[in-house]
Amino acid sequence: MTGQVKLLDFGIAKLLADESTPARATQLTLEGGSALTPQFAAPEQVTGGAVSTATDIYALGVLFYVLLTGKNPVGEQRAPADLVKAIVETEAPRASDTAASADSSVAQKRAATPDKLGRQLRGDLDTIIRKALKKNPAERYGSVTTLADDLQRYLKHEPISARPDTFTYRVGKFVRRNRLAVALTSVAAMAIIAGVTGTAIQSRTARMQRDIAFRQLARAERMNNFNQFLLTDARASNTPLTVDELLNRAQQIVEHENYSDDPANHVELLISIAEQYSNRNESATQRRLLQEAYEISRRLQNPSTRANAACALGDALVDEAGKDNARAEALIQEGLRELPNDSQYALERAFCLWKGGDVAWQNGNVPKALQLDRSAQNFLSTSKLNSSNLKLRILLESGGESMDSHLSESIAAFQRATVLAHELGYDQTRTAGNLYGTTAWALMRAGRPLEAEQFFRRGMDVFGADQLGAWSLQAYAEALRELGRLNEGADYAQRSYQKAIGGSDKVSIIQSMTVLVRIYLDQGNFSRAETTLTQLEGIMRHALPPEHFWFAMVASERSRLAERQKHLTTALQFADQAVTLDEATIKSGGEGTSFLPAFLYQRATVELQTGQPDKAKGDAERALSMLEASLGKDAFSIYIGQCYMALGRALQIRGEADAAQGDFRAAADQFDKALGPDHPQTRAAKQLAGLVKK
């Protein structure tokens, strides 16, 4: 030691800065960047990149590595190309690993054994050196100061700022060094995984389908045995059993059987029998059986059984009183939650959605009911199991629930149900008879009496005319009246009235008397129409609230009576009253929307006769707009035809002959489809349109 200071390398002469400040190259570093010792060169020097303080940090890291391990991090005696590759791409081994595997002479020079030296370097020193030797300059220490600070912390046994490489970092480096090999390996691995996954999915699907088949087979065998009992063993003697007796015996057998070996099928039988009691309007027995089925199902793990029991009970609990409606809705939601989101449970999900739709409808939430019915049909179409019976029941429910708000959709549902019932061989069943009746009623509301009469007739073929209720008889009478078969219509309206009187059914009494009034007016029997109207008004005042829309109906019929008697001022007053009453009822949230077009048409008819074609045109256009919104622009209906007739007559009075003829042609087309080509209204419209000679 001479005490003289020696300058070793101008390359590291640089202003010191915080690590947070990006290192900038000084003039000395830049000028000395090309003069280098290859074994101590940083990657950016070899590749011609930017040289900065980080370059000098790398050189210090190499020097530090050599001092501690006795070896250069890039190895010894390499060819130039290998040396460049090692500097740029190959990560240096940990200093601790190099020291542990070095000759004992290297360790002895450092007063240690190889293992001891490796242990001494392992940990923070490894981390400090690796940070200084990072290939990316931005990942090294930003200044000599920060490097020195970490060394001081190490000596003081304090936490250092550098952090070991994460697993993700090392993997990323490996991938970049071995792109082709990793890509090929990844493709092979993905192919293997895809193959294994596909096999597993196919195996699982096969097991699911097998389980479904076994479940359905067990259910079918159980139902076959049960049906055999009902058809043969239940009747010990030759005495015939009534339906009620047969149902009671079935209930007793199911309730007392030992079902410990097959509780799921026992629950299904209870649900099935309960449904039969529902059809016979014995709700108390139905609820008791379904409550029993629900309680048993709670002890089972089968999601199908648990869901069916919950949803069936929920639907049975809802009623007009509303006291159990909250629990009914909760049970529907409980049933839906029980079902996994898997196609094998599509049938059960459709069942619960259908029951939920009925609960929503009875709670007055028609939009929700229709949405649930549509969802049920969608799930049913995805089910691996065919259930035409459930599909039929959902269509019947959907048709009934949509009749008031979506009449065209209701008719379409009933028509699909009719086709399905025929395919199932149900043409002469009670289900088909009810279907024909409700379809006929929907067609009547749409103004299609020709089709409605045919469906009414099919219903009577199933039940017999004597077995029809007052409601069905009066609806059939109205269809006959629209078709001009007045005497037949009067006969069925009288039958309806007598049945309603016998059953003290005031609503049916009012409806049947209204049909009789219309028939008497069409027959020209004005005195009898007047008498019946007076009696009808007296009954209504005691049976209906004053804001009920049927008072508007009676006012409209009084307008028709006054019109036929040529009392046009009175006729117009009653027509105005009918429209005003119905609009008030609708505004207050009551029924009556579907009848307003008829009241507007009647007023337009009187306005035409009192020389008010503009008002008549306005009422007819308003009625037509409402009908097209309800039935669809492509629909056909006698009500649409009547509106076109009123429009044509209004235009005719105003001298717009060509436009009037177009409306008459439209009316003729409507009447031809809804009433038939030989109906008087059809012939009259065709004559006005110039389609036939007078």
Side-chain angles (χ1 to χ4, degrees):
M1 299 293 290
T2 63
Q4 295 179 338
V5 177
K6 296 182 179 181
L7 182 60
L8 298 178
D9 186 353
F10 280 104
I12 63 171
K14 190 173 183 74
L15 292 174
L16 301 179
D18 292 336
E19 190 171 9
S20 60
T21 304
R24 294 181 294 107
T26 64
Q27 190 63 30
L28 285 174
T29 301
L30 289 171
E31 291 177 353
S34 59
L36 52 83
T37 303
Q39 286 82 0
F40 287 79
E44 62 269 23
Q45 289 178 288
V46 175
T47 59
V51 177
S52 67
T53 303
T55 306
D56 300 325
I57 296 296
Y58 185 89
L60 284 173
V62 175
L63 182 60
F64 198 22
Y65 194 100
V66 172
L67 290 173
L68 292 174
T69 67
K71 292 188 177 183
N72 193 290
V74 297
E76 303 292 343
Q77 299 178 354
R78 291 178 179 271
D82 292 337
L83 180 59
V84 170
K85 183 176 181 180
I87 293 171
V88 175
E89 296 182 2
T90 306
E91 293 289 343
R94 288 186 177 86
S96 58
D97 293 339
T98 301
S101 61
D103 295 337
S104 58
S105 60
V106 175
Q108 288 174 358
K109 292 178 181 179
R110 290 157 178 78
T113 64
D115 289 341
K116 182 179 179 182
L117 181 59
R119 287 195 300 273
Q120 289 174 341
L121 300 181
R122 190 171 297 121
D124 285 350
L125 279 178
D126 268 341
T127 302
I128 292 170
I129 295 170
R130 289 183 74 83
K131 184 173 178 66
L133 295 177
K134 290 290 185 182
K135 303 297 183 186
N136 184 355
E139 296 177 2
R140 300 175 201 150
Y141 287 101
S143 67
V144 176
T145 301
T146 53
L147 172 58
D149 287 345
D150 257 2
L151 290 172
Q152 288 295 329
R153 292 189 189 97
Y154 169 75
L155 293 174
K156 294 178 181 179
H157 303 289
E158 295 175 355
I160 62 174
S161 64
R163 292 291 178 266
D165 292 340
T166 63
F167 175 76
T168 303
Y169 176 85
R170 293 196 298 272
V171 169
K173 288 290 186 180
F174 177 81
V175 170
R176 283 191 288 273
R177 290 197 309 271
N178 304 275
R179 285 186 175 87
L180 180 59
V182 170
L184 293 174
T185 303
S186 299
V187 170
M190 289 174 64
I192 293 171
I193 292 171
V196 171
T197 303
T199 302
I201 291 174
Q202 290 177 352
S203 176
R204 180 174 178 271
T205 302
R207 288 197 303 272
M208 287 168 48
Q209 293 175 345
R210 179 203 62 193
D211 293 343
I212 292 173
F214 283 157
R215 189 168 72 243
Q216 292 302 310
L217 178 61
R219 183 178 299 176
E221 289 179 348
R222 183 62 177 276
M223 293 304 296
N224 285 338
N225 293 337
F226 187 67
N227 290 335
Q228 183 180 5
F229 162 78
L230 292 179
L231 295 174
T232 58
D233 292 345
R235 185 165 59 93
S237 65
N238 292 326
T239 305
L241 294 176
T242 65
V243 174
D244 287 338
E245 290 172 336
L246 202 58
L247 194 56
N248 288 335
R249 293 197 181 188
Q251 174 191 337
Q252 292 171 9
I253 291 296
V254 172
E255 287 187 313
H256 292 88
E257 71 175 343
N258 180 4
Y259 56 83
S260 58
D261 62 331
D262 196 4
N265 275 337
H266 179 77
V267 171
E268 296 293 345
L269 282 174
L270 285 172
I271 294 173
S272 178
I273 293 175
E275 290 289 332
Q276 300 306 314
Y277 278 108
S278 171
N279 294 335
R280 303 186 71 78
N281 296 319
E282 297 185 36
S283 58
T285 304
Q286 177 202 16
R287 291 184 181 187
R288 181 177 60 78
L289 291 174
L290 289 176
Q291 182 65 41
E292 180 182 349
Y294 175 77
E295 291 171 358
I296 295 172
S297 72
R298 297 308 95 182
R299 301 193 292 270
L300 306 179
Q301 298 300 316
N302 187 323
S304 298
T305 304
R306 292 172 63 89
N308 286 344
C311 293
L313 178 59
D315 187 32
L317 289 178
V318 69
D319 57 20
E320 293 182 0
K323 62 179 182 178
D324 290 324
N325 289 3
R327 188 188 174 208
E329 178 62 34
L331 283 166
I332 296 296
Q333 296 304 318
E334 177 185 334
L336 289 169
R337 287 194 301 270
E338 292 283 356
L339 297 170
N341 189 20
D342 195 300
S343 60
Q344 72 164 311
Y345 297 102
L347 196 64
E348 290 82 358
R349 191 170 294 277
F351 176 82
C352 277
L353 289 168
W354 166 51
K355 291 295 186 181
D358 188 46
V359 170
W361 183 71
Q362 294 193 61
N363 282 333
N365 193 341
V366 176
K368 181 179 179 180
L370 297 179
Q371 185 266 326
L372 290 174
D373 285 342
R374 295 186 191 106
S375 296
Q377 293 180 55
N378 290 336
F379 273 103
L380 200 58
S381 65
T382 66
S383 174
K384 295 181 174 65
L385 300 172
N386 181 28
S387 181
S388 297
N389 184 270
L390 179 57
K391 182 179 180 180
L392 176 62
R393 296 164 77 184
I394 293 174
L395 285 171
L396 288 171
E397 197 85 48
S398 176
E401 291 170 356
S402 59
M403 191 181 297
D404 288 331
S405 57
H406 299 77
L407 187 54
S408 57
E409 184 177 327
S410 171
I411 293 172
F414 285 141
Q415 289 174 333
R416 292 199 302 273
T418 300
V419 173
L420 183 57
H422 175 71
E423 292 174 352
L424 293 171
Y426 286 5
D427 298 279
Q428 297 300 313
T429 63
R430 183 184 186 88
T431 297
N434 290 330
L435 169 60
Y436 300 148
T438 50
T439 304
W441 177 240
L443 289 167
M444 280 298 299
R445 292 187 61 174
R448 294 158 63 175
L450 189 63
E451 294 171 274
E453 192 275 338
Q454 296 169 1
F455 274 96
F456 276 127
R457 178 59 61 183
R458 292 175 70 178
M460 285 191 286
D461 288 343
V462 174
F463 292 116
D466 293 338
Q467 298 300 315
L468 293 180
W471 174 84
S472 297
L473 289 169
Q474 66 86 16
Y476 183 53
E478 177 66 13
L480 293 172
R481 183 192 76 83
E482 295 281 14
L483 294 173
R485 295 158 59 178
L486 300 180
N487 291 335
E488 290 180 77
D491 177 52
Y492 279 100
Q494 284 289 352
R495 293 193 201 183
S496 172
Y497 176 73
Q498 294 300 326
K499 281 209 169 187
I501 289 290
S504 300
D505 184 352
K506 291 186 177 180
V507 173
S508 293
I509 291 173
I510 291 169
Q511 291 176 337
S512 59
M513 290 181 71
T514 304
V515 175
L516 282 170
V517 168
R518 292 170 179 166
I519 292 174
Y520 296 149
L521 286 173
D522 291 346
Q523 290 175 331
N525 193 342
F526 302 144
S527 61
R528 197 166 185 182
E530 171 68 42
T531 301
T532 307
L533 269 173
T534 302
Q535 294 173 346
L536 175 59
E537 288 173 323
I539 294 172
M540 287 172 56
R541 279 193 290 270
H542 289 89
L544 301 177
E547 68 277 6
H548 197 280
F549 74 91
W550 212 266
F551 285 99
M553 183 77 72
V554 170
S556 185
E557 296 305 323
R558 283 211 170 273
S559 175
R560 289 183 66 221
L561 174 60
E563 176 202 348
R564 300 292 178 88
Q565 294 174 323
K566 304 301 180 182
H567 302 153
L568 297 182
T569 301
T570 302
L572 188 57
Q573 290 173 348
F574 277 119
D576 285 336
Q577 182 182 350
V579 172
T580 301
L581 286 173
D582 198 47
E583 287 177 334
T585 300
I586 296 169
K587 187 176 181 180
S588 64
E591 298 179 45
T593 302
S594 60
F595 295 99
L596 184 56
F599 301 154
L600 289 168
Y601 165 72
Q602 172 58 26
R603 187 166 71 177
T605 301
V606 179
E607 288 166 340
L608 286 171
Q609 297 179 64
T610 55
Q612 303 179 70
D614 292 340
K615 287 186 176 181
K617 181 174 179 291
D619 278 340
E621 287 177 337
R622 183 183 172 194
L624 182 60
S625 176
M626 293 180 68
L627 289 168
E628 288 181 341
S630 172
L631 303 176
K633 289 187 177 296
D634 297 328
F636 62 91
S637 165
I638 59 169
Y639 307 133
I640 294 177
Q642 289 168 346
C643 290
Y644 276 120
M645 284 290 285
L647 283 171
R649 291 186 185 279
L651 293 171
Q652 196 176 49
I653 294 173
R654 289 167 42 161
E656 301 175 34
D658 291 341
Q661 198 168 47
D663 285 332
F664 290 141
R665 280 196 296 269
D669 182 60
Q670 293 286 326
F671 290 146
D672 188 74
K673 295 175 181 176
L675 297 170
D678 297 326
H679 194 278
Q681 290 191 62
T682 307
R683 292 199 301 269
K686 287 181 177 180
Q687 287 177 352
L688 289 169
L691 299 176
V692 294
K693 293 181 180 180
K694 295 184 180 180

mmCIF file of all heavy atoms in Angstrom, residues 597 600-601 603-605 607-608 613-627 639-640 642-648 650:
data_model
loop_
_atom_site.group_PDB
_atom_site.id
_atom_site.type_symbol
_atom_site.label_atom_id
_atom_site.label_comp_id
_atom_site.label_asym_id
_atom_site.label_seq_id
_atom_site.Cartn_x
_atom_site.Cartn_y
_atom_site.Cartn_z
ATOM 1 N N PRO A 597 -114.446 -0.773 -28.567
ATOM 2 C CA PRO A 597 -114.641 -0.641 -30.020
ATOM 3 C C PRO A 597 -116.090 -0.879 -30.450
ATOM 4 O O PRO A 597 -116.589 -0.190 -31.354
ATOM 5 C CB PRO A 597 -113.702 -1.708 -30.600
ATOM 6 C CG PRO A 597 -112.627 -1.857 -29.578
ATOM 7 C CD PRO A 597 -113.322 -1.694 -28.260
ATOM 8 N N LEU A 600 -118.065 2.245 -29.640
ATOM 9 C CA LEU A 600 -117.727 3.311 -30.592
ATOM 10 C C LEU A 600 -118.397 3.064 -31.945
ATOM 11 O O LEU A 600 -118.882 4.005 -32.598
ATOM 12 C CB LEU A 600 -116.206 3.395 -30.764
ATOM 13 C CG LEU A 600 -115.423 3.942 -29.567
ATOM 14 C CD1 LEU A 600 -113.925 3.697 -29.751
ATOM 15 C CD2 LEU A 600 -115.682 5.441 -29.387
ATOM 16 N N TYR A 601 -118.426 1.806 -32.370
ATOM 17 C CA TYR A 601 -119.074 1.478 -33.650
ATOM 18 C C TYR A 601 -120.567 1.781 -33.592
ATOM 19 O O TYR A 601 -121.137 2.339 -34.548
ATOM 20 C CB TYR A 601 -118.845 0.003 -33.983
ATOM 21 C CG TYR A 601 -119.750 -0.495 -35.075
ATOM 22 C CD1 TYR A 601 -119.571 -0.097 -36.397
ATOM 23 C CD2 TYR A 601 -120.822 -1.342 -34.779
ATOM 24 C CE1 TYR A 601 -120.428 -0.535 -37.403
ATOM 25 C CE2 TYR A 601 -121.678 -1.789 -35.773
ATOM 26 C CZ TYR A 601 -121.477 -1.383 -37.082
ATOM 27 O OH TYR A 601 -122.327 -1.807 -38.077
ATOM 28 N N ARG A 603 -122.045 4.010 -31.760
ATOM 29 C CA ARG A 603 -122.236 5.461 -31.821
ATOM 30 C C ARG A 603 -122.010 5.981 -33.241
ATOM 31 O O ARG A 603 -122.737 6.871 -33.707
ATOM 32 C CB ARG A 603 -121.294 6.157 -30.842
ATOM 33 C CG ARG A 603 -121.567 7.655 -30.732
ATOM 34 C CD ARG A 603 -120.876 8.278 -29.542
ATOM 35 N NE ARG A 603 -119.429 8.359 -29.704
ATOM 36 C CZ ARG A 603 -118.609 8.928 -28.806
ATOM 37 N NH1 ARG A 603 -119.117 9.442 -27.682
ATOM 38 N NH2 ARG A 603 -117.313 8.961 -29.002
ATOM 39 N N ALA A 604 -121.003 5.428 -33.933
ATOM 40 C CA ALA A 604 -120.754 5.850 -35.315
ATOM 41 C C ALA A 604 -121.955 5.546 -36.200
ATOM 42 O O ALA A 604 -122.308 6.338 -37.098
ATOM 43 C CB ALA A 604 -119.506 5.148 -35.847
ATOM 44 N N THR A 605 -122.610 4.401 -35.954
ATOM 45 C CA THR A 605 -123.791 4.029 -36.741
ATOM 46 C C THR A 605 -124.907 5.062 -36.577
ATOM 47 O O THR A 605 -125.566 5.467 -37.555
ATOM 48 C CB THR A 605 -124.296 2.637 -36.297
ATOM 49 O OG1 THR A 605 -123.259 1.679 -36.487
ATOM 50 C CG2 THR A 605 -125.508 2.215 -37.108
ATOM 51 N N GLU A 607 -124.471 8.216 -35.545
ATOM 52 C CA GLU A 607 -123.978 9.492 -36.078
ATOM 53 C C GLU A 607 -124.158 9.567 -37.595
ATOM 54 O O GLU A 607 -124.445 10.639 -38.151
ATOM 55 C CB GLU A 607 -122.508 9.678 -35.704
ATOM 56 C CG GLU A 607 -122.307 9.980 -34.213
ATOM 57 C CD GLU A 607 -120.861 9.834 -33.761
ATOM 58 O OE1 GLU A 607 -120.078 9.155 -34.464
ATOM 59 O OE2 GLU A 607 -120.519 10.385 -32.693
ATOM 60 N N LEU A 608 -124.004 8.449 -38.273
ATOM 61 C CA LEU A 608 -124.223 8.432 -39.724
ATOM 62 C C LEU A 608 -125.680 8.758 -40.056
ATOM 63 O O LEU A 608 -125.970 9.469 -41.029
ATOM 64 C CB LEU A 608 -123.855 7.059 -40.290
ATOM 65 C CG LEU A 608 -122.358 6.736 -40.376
ATOM 66 C CD1 LEU A 608 -122.153 5.265 -40.731
ATOM 67 C CD2 LEU A 608 -121.684 7.623 -41.419
ATOM 68 N N PRO A 613 -121.180 12.679 -40.493
ATOM 69 C CA PRO A 613 -120.197 11.735 -41.045
ATOM 70 C C PRO A 613 -118.788 11.930 -40.490
ATOM 71 O O PRO A 613 -118.042 10.953 -40.361
ATOM 72 C CB PRO A 613 -120.251 12.024 -42.544
ATOM 73 C CG PRO A 613 -120.751 13.427 -42.651
ATOM 74 C CD PRO A 613 -121.722 13.593 -41.522
ATOM 75 N N ASP A 614 -118.416 13.165 -40.169
ATOM 76 C CA ASP A 614 -117.061 13.389 -39.647
ATOM 77 C C ASP A 614 -116.883 12.736 -38.277
ATOM 78 O O ASP A 614 -115.857 12.105 -37.998
ATOM 79 C CB ASP A 614 -116.774 14.890 -39.553
ATOM 80 C CG ASP A 614 -116.667 15.535 -40.928
ATOM 81 O OD1 ASP A 614 -116.440 14.798 -41.906
ATOM 82 O OD2 ASP A 614 -116.806 16.770 -41.016
ATOM 83 N N LYS A 615 -117.894 12.911 -37.413
ATOM 84 C CA LYS A 615 -117.822 12.262 -36.102
ATOM 85 C C LYS A 615 -117.856 10.740 -36.243
ATOM 86 O O LYS A 615 -117.145 10.017 -35.531
ATOM 87 C CB LYS A 615 -118.975 12.733 -35.219
ATOM 88 C CG LYS A 615 -118.828 14.158 -34.713
ATOM 89 C CD LYS A 615 -119.940 14.485 -33.720
ATOM 90 C CE LYS A 615 -119.752 15.885 -33.133
ATOM 91 N NZ LYS A 615 -120.816 16.201 -32.143
ATOM 92 N N ALA A 616 -118.695 10.272 -37.157
ATOM 93 C CA ALA A 616 -118.778 8.828 -37.383
ATOM 94 C C ALA A 616 -117.435 8.286 -37.857
ATOM 95 O O ALA A 616 -116.983 7.221 -37.411
ATOM 96 C CB ALA A 616 -119.867 8.518 -38.403
ATOM 97 N N LYS A 617 -116.802 9.012 -38.761
ATOM 98 C CA LYS A 617 -115.493 8.594 -39.263
ATOM 99 C C LYS A 617 -114.465 8.547 -38.130
ATOM 100 O O LYS A 617 -113.667 7.608 -38.026
ATOM 101 C CB LYS A 617 -115.031 9.555 -40.356
ATOM 102 C CG LYS A 617 -113.676 9.217 -40.980
ATOM 103 C CD LYS A 617 -113.394 10.155 -42.144
ATOM 104 C CE LYS A 617 -112.027 9.847 -42.769
ATOM 105 N NZ LYS A 617 -110.915 10.205 -41.881
ATOM 106 N N GLY A 618 -114.500 9.555 -37.243
ATOM 107 C CA GLY A 618 -113.557 9.580 -36.123
ATOM 108 C C GLY A 618 -113.749 8.407 -35.180
ATOM 109 O O GLY A 618 -112.779 7.769 -34.753
ATOM 110 N N ASP A 619 -115.019 8.094 -34.851
ATOM 111 C CA ASP A 619 -115.286 6.958 -33.957
ATOM 112 C C ASP A 619 -114.894 5.637 -34.613
ATOM 113 O O ASP A 619 -114.325 4.745 -33.960
ATOM 114 C CB ASP A 619 -116.770 6.928 -33.579
ATOM 115 C CG ASP A 619 -117.100 7.892 -32.445
ATOM 116 O OD1 ASP A 619 -116.162 8.275 -31.712
ATOM 117 O OD2 ASP A 619 -118.282 8.254 -32.298
ATOM 118 N N ALA A 620 -115.194 5.492 -35.902
ATOM 119 C CA ALA A 620 -114.865 4.245 -36.601
ATOM 120 C C ALA A 620 -113.353 4.059 -36.694
ATOM 121 O O ALA A 620 -112.843 2.937 -36.519
ATOM 122 C CB ALA A 620 -115.490 4.248 -37.994
ATOM 123 N N GLU A 621 -112.629 5.127 -36.969
ATOM 124 C CA GLU A 621 -111.166 5.030 -37.055
ATOM 125 C C GLU A 621 -110.559 4.690 -35.699
ATOM 126 O O GLU A 621 -109.610 3.891 -35.611
ATOM 127 C CB GLU A 621 -110.590 6.348 -37.577
ATOM 128 C CG GLU A 621 -110.831 6.568 -39.058
ATOM 129 C CD GLU A 621 -110.327 7.908 -39.539
ATOM 130 O OE1 GLU A 621 -110.187 8.830 -38.698
ATOM 131 O OE2 GLU A 621 -110.082 8.047 -40.754
ATOM 132 N N ARG A 622 -111.107 5.275 -34.643
ATOM 133 C CA ARG A 622 -110.602 4.973 -33.297
ATOM 134 C C ARG A 622 -110.856 3.508 -32.942
ATOM 135 O O ARG A 622 -109.973 2.818 -32.416
ATOM 136 C CB ARG A 622 -111.273 5.890 -32.281
ATOM 137 C CG ARG A 622 -110.769 5.701 -30.859
ATOM 138 C CD ARG A 622 -111.534 6.582 -29.887
ATOM 139 N NE ARG A 622 -111.195 6.264 -28.509
ATOM 140 C CZ ARG A 622 -111.893 6.674 -27.451
ATOM 141 N NH1 ARG A 622 -112.969 7.445 -27.628
ATOM 142 N NH2 ARG A 622 -111.524 6.327 -26.235
ATOM 143 N N ALA A 623 -112.059 3.028 -33.242
ATOM 144 C CA ALA A 623 -112.385 1.625 -32.963
ATOM 145 C C ALA A 623 -111.494 0.690 -33.771
ATOM 146 O O ALA A 623 -110.989 -0.321 -33.255
ATOM 147 C CB ALA A 623 -113.853 1.362 -33.283
ATOM 148 N N LEU A 624 -111.275 1.026 -35.046
ATOM 149 C CA LEU A 624 -110.438 0.195 -35.907
ATOM 150 C C LEU A 624 -109.000 0.137 -35.391
ATOM 151 O O LEU A 624 -108.374 -0.928 -35.386
ATOM 152 C CB LEU A 624 -110.466 0.743 -37.334
ATOM 153 C CG LEU A 624 -109.666 -0.037 -38.384
ATOM 154 C CD1 LEU A 624 -110.182 -1.463 -38.505
ATOM 155 C CD2 LEU A 624 -109.736 0.667 -39.733
ATOM 156 N N SER A 625 -108.496 1.273 -34.938
ATOM 157 C CA SER A 625 -107.135 1.316 -34.403
ATOM 158 C C SER A 625 -107.000 0.422 -33.169
ATOM 159 O O SER A 625 -106.009 -0.307 -33.018
ATOM 160 C CB SER A 625 -106.764 2.758 -34.053
ATOM 161 O OG SER A 625 -105.492 2.819 -33.450
ATOM 162 N N MET A 626 -107.996 0.458 -32.291
ATOM 163 C CA MET A 626 -107.961 -0.375 -31.086
ATOM 164 C C MET A 626 -108.023 -1.855 -31.439
ATOM 165 O O MET A 626 -107.311 -2.685 -30.850
ATOM 166 C CB MET A 626 -109.121 -0.008 -30.163
ATOM 167 C CG MET A 626 -109.039 1.388 -29.564
ATOM 168 S SD MET A 626 -110.447 1.760 -28.493
ATOM 169 C CE MET A 626 -110.146 0.621 -27.138
ATOM 170 N N LEU A 627 -108.852 -2.202 -32.410
ATOM 171 C CA LEU A 627 -108.983 -3.606 -32.807
ATOM 172 C C LEU A 627 -107.695 -4.128 -33.440
ATOM 173 O O LEU A 627 -107.268 -5.257 -33.161
ATOM 174 C CB LEU A 627 -110.148 -3.760 -33.782
ATOM 175 C CG LEU A 627 -111.547 -3.602 -33.177
ATOM 176 C CD1 LEU A 627 -112.592 -3.478 -34.274
ATOM 177 C CD2 LEU A 627 -111.864 -4.789 -32.263
ATOM 178 N N TYR A 639 -115.854 -7.413 -36.312
ATOM 179 C CA TYR A 639 -115.779 -6.077 -35.724
ATOM 180 C C TYR A 639 -114.937 -5.150 -36.602
ATOM 181 O O TYR A 639 -115.282 -3.971 -36.784
ATOM 182 C CB TYR A 639 -115.202 -6.156 -34.314
ATOM 183 C CG TYR A 639 -115.918 -7.146 -33.425
ATOM 184 C CD1 TYR A 639 -115.219 -8.067 -32.649
ATOM 185 C CD2 TYR A 639 -117.315 -7.187 -33.379
ATOM 186 C CE1 TYR A 639 -115.876 -8.985 -31.848
ATOM 187 C CE2 TYR A 639 -117.985 -8.102 -32.580
ATOM 188 C CZ TYR A 639 -117.254 -9.001 -31.818
ATOM 189 O OH TYR A 639 -117.914 -9.918 -31.032
ATOM 190 N N ILE A 640 -113.853 -5.674 -37.155
ATOM 191 C CA ILE A 640 -113.054 -4.876 -38.092
ATOM 192 C C ILE A 640 -113.875 -4.583 -39.349
ATOM 193 O O ILE A 640 -113.865 -3.462 -39.876
ATOM 194 C CB ILE A 640 -111.748 -5.615 -38.449
ATOM 195 C CG1 ILE A 640 -110.853 -5.735 -37.209
ATOM 196 C CG2 ILE A 640 -110.999 -4.891 -39.566
ATOM 197 C CD1 ILE A 640 -109.571 -6.521 -37.439
ATOM 198 N N GLN A 642 -117.114 -4.306 -39.572
ATOM 199 C CA GLN A 642 -118.128 -3.296 -39.263
ATOM 200 C C GLN A 642 -117.525 -1.890 -39.242
ATOM 201 O O GLN A 642 -118.156 -0.927 -39.686
ATOM 202 C CB GLN A 642 -118.783 -3.629 -37.926
ATOM 203 C CG GLN A 642 -119.689 -4.855 -37.985
ATOM 204 C CD GLN A 642 -120.113 -5.346 -36.612
ATOM 205 O OE1 GLN A 642 -119.552 -4.945 -35.588
ATOM 206 N NE2 GLN A 642 -121.112 -6.230 -36.585
ATOM 207 N N CYS A 643 -116.298 -1.772 -38.731
ATOM 208 C CA CYS A 643 -115.636 -0.460 -38.724
ATOM 209 C C CYS A 643 -115.379 0.031 -40.145
ATOM 210 O O CYS A 643 -115.573 1.221 -40.456
ATOM 211 C CB CYS A 643 -114.329 -0.540 -37.942
ATOM 212 S SG CYS A 643 -114.548 -0.738 -36.159
ATOM 213 N N TYR A 644 -114.935 -0.873 -41.021
ATOM 214 C CA TYR A 644 -114.718 -0.479 -42.420
ATOM 215 C C TYR A 644 -116.033 -0.073 -43.088
ATOM 216 O O TYR A 644 -116.073 0.857 -43.913
ATOM 217 C CB TYR A 644 -114.058 -1.618 -43.195
ATOM 218 C CG TYR A 644 -112.552 -1.660 -43.056
ATOM 219 C CD1 TYR A 644 -111.917 -2.776 -42.520
ATOM 220 C CD2 TYR A 644 -111.771 -0.588 -43.468
ATOM 221 C CE1 TYR A 644 -110.533 -2.823 -42.393
ATOM 222 C CE2 TYR A 644 -110.388 -0.622 -43.347
ATOM 223 C CZ TYR A 644 -109.778 -1.743 -42.807
ATOM 224 O OH TYR A 644 -108.418 -1.774 -42.688
ATOM 225 N N MET A 645 -117.108 -0.764 -42.750
ATOM 226 C CA MET A 645 -118.412 -0.387 -43.303
ATOM 227 C C MET A 645 -118.795 1.023 -42.862
ATOM 228 O O MET A 645 -119.277 1.843 -43.671
ATOM 229 C CB MET A 645 -119.484 -1.382 -42.854
ATOM 230 C CG MET A 645 -119.446 -2.704 -43.586
ATOM 231 S SD MET A 645 -119.971 -2.569 -45.317
ATOM 232 C CE MET A 645 -121.745 -2.416 -45.117
ATOM 233 N N ALA A 646 -118.592 1.336 -41.577
ATOM 234 C CA ALA A 646 -118.917 2.680 -41.083
ATOM 235 C C ALA A 646 -118.044 3.734 -41.753
ATOM 236 O O ALA A 646 -118.526 4.822 -42.119
ATOM 237 C CB ALA A 646 -118.742 2.722 -39.564
ATOM 238 N N LEU A 647 -116.762 3.426 -41.934
ATOM 239 C CA LEU A 647 -115.863 4.365 -42.616
ATOM 240 C C LEU A 647 -116.306 4.589 -44.058
ATOM 241 O O LEU A 647 -116.323 5.733 -44.558
ATOM 242 C CB LEU A 647 -114.427 3.822 -42.593
ATOM 243 C CG LEU A 647 -113.652 3.958 -41.279
ATOM 244 C CD1 LEU A 647 -112.337 3.185 -41.359
ATOM 245 C CD2 LEU A 647 -113.375 5.426 -40.981
ATOM 246 N N GLY A 648 -116.665 3.499 -44.736
ATOM 247 C CA GLY A 648 -117.112 3.621 -46.119
ATOM 248 C C GLY A 648 -118.361 4.475 -46.244
ATOM 249 O O GLY A 648 -118.469 5.327 -47.141
ATOM 250 N N ALA A 650 -119.357 6.804 -44.147
ATOM 251 C CA ALA A 650 -119.018 8.198 -43.839
ATOM 252 C C ALA A 650 -118.387 8.875 -45.049
ATOM 253 O O ALA A 650 -118.726 10.025 -45.393
ATOM 254 C CB ALA A 650 -118.077 8.245 -42.641
#
